[in-house]
Amino acid sequence: MTSDNSASYLQVRDLEKRFGEFTALRDISLSIDKGEFVVFLGPSGCGKTTLLRAIAGLDRQSKGSIVQAGREISNLPPAQRDFGIVFQSYALFPNLTVDSNVAYGLRGLDRASRKKRVGELLHLIGLPDSGAKFPAQLSGGQQQRIALARALAPSPGLLLLDEPLSALDARVRIHLRREIRELQRRLNVTTIMVTHDQEEALTMADRIVVMNHGVIEQIGTPEEIYRRPASVFVANFVGAMNFVGGKSSGAELVRCGSVDLASNEPHGFRQGADITVAIRPEDIAVRNLPPGGSNIVEARIVDLEFLGAFCRATLATGLGETAELKADFSINAVRDLNLQPGHSLPVRLPPDRLVVYPAA
Ligand code: ATP
């Protein structure tokens, strides 16, 4: 997302949406580039569907503006906007064949062009022979691909996907993630997808818009969102995270319990301020600790949970009486170091992996 520049395709400015007394969206501003795949991510009720529907004109905003491809669309009805939409529930017409479903948005074309375009689309989604079937004769994943073909048929400037994968089983979901993303790249169609599934967002998005209680918490690439979460909410919502309370004890130093921890960058809190330090379980190092290195703390393994690909340890440390850390150790590390509950060992919290927030 850029500020208003030439690549920007969609701009949402100061959007607000009220339902009676309730404000579902507040101060929503964002800008999406041509060809970008942007995901609105957040917990149930955070407003992501409301925002998508406002962009489509299905739920008109109470305030603010939306500009698409240089055209102010804020007050246009959906039919006059340029988008295709796919819903969680497929929403195919059950009494129409696949051909007729896909052709639905192509009524302006003559018969031969329509037939050709439907053929192209069915080929594109990998279901070239399903045109004569009815939706009920297809699996959920196949129906959702037809819904995608129907949305793409008129070559819309904007593709809107409202939780398109949530109704599908896990295997189909993972397969379709990749298919949708490849198709989107090939067509270079600017796309917004709504999901509450963080893994889906991290694997599919160019940029993620993390929302909570009707506001945007952070906009960034998946890596930025994961590595540098802008708030405790984002840190908690995306991935697993440890939080430990402490006080600022220097520009790049915090004190947790009896331990001083260095962070790589100045954290910006005045000396003595209450802070929360965050670190991801997989960032806690147990091997190759630099001799005399910073941020090495003694830990006692309270519990060790086998999770297949790795083990999640619960560690008691000197970071505070109640502060237990979750740490993910590889199976090799657990075996080579013979890690077991009750053992004590030094672990390292690498300074470049610590994020410091105001006290929660
Ligand atoms: P979910 O994943 O559960 O769909 P969401 O983030 O998409 O959640 P929205 O559907 O956008 O959330 O709803 C945001 C808030 O607005 C919710 O508190 C919801 O109850 C409220 N809301 C949505 N539509 C209406 C409506 N038509 N009338 C009143 N309140 C509404």
Side-chain angles (χ1 to χ4, degrees):
M1 259 137 288
T2 58
S3 55
D4 295 357
N5 66 18
S6 55
S8 174
Y9 178 76
L10 185 84
Q11 293 111 39
V12 175
R13 295 197 194 109
D14 302 322
L15 209 78
E16 186 178 300
K17 174 68 185 177
R18 287 188 304 270
F19 293 107
E21 292 292 289
F22 177 72
T23 304
L25 295 173
R26 242 179 318 130
D27 299 330
I28 302 287
S29 291
L30 57 95
S31 174
I32 299 178
D33 287 348
K34 170 88 187 104
E36 246 191 324
F37 193 112
V38 168
V39 171
F40 295 168
L41 174 70
S44 182
C46 72
K48 49 199 190 300
T49 302
T50 303
L51 180 55
L52 192 84
R53 291 176 64 83
I55 291 168
L58 297 167
D59 260 333
R60 203 71 59 83
Q61 68 282 355
S62 314
K63 265 209 265 186
S65 71
I66 306 168
V67 173
Q68 182 180 357
R71 184 168 73 126
E72 162 99 37
I73 58 165
S74 316
N75 295 310
L76 296 181
Q80 286 175 34
R81 302 192 188 196
D82 177 19
F83 69 91
I85 191 162
V86 175
F87 298 100
Q88 176 181 344
S89 56
Y90 325 137
L92 295 173
F93 304 112
N95 53 332
L96 297 183
T97 61
V98 163
D99 272 344
S100 303
N101 264 285
V102 176
Y104 185 76
L106 300 173
R107 280 157 298 175
L109 296 184
D110 62 66
R111 218 180 131 82
S113 315
R114 211 160 55 215
K115 190 159 187 285
K116 180 163 173 279
R117 180 78 182 135
V118 170
E120 281 167 11
L121 283 155
L122 292 184
H123 188 76
L124 200 64
I125 56 156
L127 294 170
D129 304 320
S130 63
K133 291 188 178 162
F134 285 89
Q137 295 173 288
L138 301 172
S139 70
Q142 288 169 332
Q143 288 187 57
Q144 200 53 308
R145 274 142 77 192
I146 302 298
L148 190 63
R150 184 179 60 179
L152 290 169
S155 305
L158 186 62
L159 178 64
L160 303 176
L161 307 172
D162 190 1
E163 303 248 12
L165 304 176
S166 347
L168 303 170
D169 71 50
R171 212 177 251 269
V172 178
R173 207 155 60 214
I174 288 167
H175 182 71
L176 261 188
R177 271 184 203 165
R178 208 172 38 238
E179 267 192 27
I180 291 177
R181 197 56 238 258
E182 278 171 13
L183 194 62
Q184 185 272 340
R185 278 210 186 93
R186 195 146 21 119
L187 302 175
N188 196 37
V189 55
T190 310
T191 300
I192 302 174
M193 183 176 87
V194 162
T195 185
H196 58 264
D197 182 330
Q198 46 157 311
E199 196 181 286
E200 213 164 277
L202 290 169
T203 55
M204 293 180 78
D206 289 319
R207 308 223 194 188
I208 300 175
V209 177
V210 186
M211 298 178 63
N212 186 30
H213 292 313
V215 299
I216 294 177
E217 290 266 340
Q218 187 173 7
I219 300 176
T221 63
E223 190 159 350
E224 283 163 355
I225 299 283
Y226 193 81
R227 281 275 134 236
R228 292 276 136 200
S231 62
V232 167
F233 171 81
V234 177
N236 207 13
F237 188 72
V238 180
M241 188 68 105
N242 292 294
F243 296 99
V244 182
K247 284 188 187 301
S248 161
S249 52
E252 294 165 25
L253 217 56
V254 293
R255 189 160 184 84
C256 298
S258 56
V259 182
D260 276 318
L261 294 174
S263 64
N264 243 23
E265 295 162 15
H267 49 61
F269 294 95
R270 63 173 170 74
Q271 181 106 11
D274 291 324
I275 51 90
T276 298
V277 181
I279 184 163
R280 298 218 179 265
E282 71 269 23
D283 288 335
I284 297 178
V286 68
R287 291 220 253 201
N288 304 322
L289 307 187
S294 58
N295 292 13
I296 295 177
V297 297
E298 266 310 294
R300 184 172 50 82
I301 301 177
V302 176
D303 186 38
L304 199 59
E305 193 182 0
F306 175 66
L307 292 172
F310 62 92
C311 284
R312 178 157 290 178
T314 305
L315 305 175
T317 65
L319 295 175
E321 274 172 29
T322 55
E324 281 191 340
L325 294 179
K326 301 286 183 194
D328 292 345
F329 298 144
S330 72
I331 301 295
N332 287 340
V334 171
R335 190 190 50 215
D336 296 351
L337 301 173
N338 187 28
L339 300 181
Q340 284 176 26
H343 286 187
S344 288
L345 75 169
V347 296
R348 183 159 193 259
L349 281 45
D352 63 333
R353 297 299 158 132
L354 296 186
V355 194
V356 185
Y357 299 104

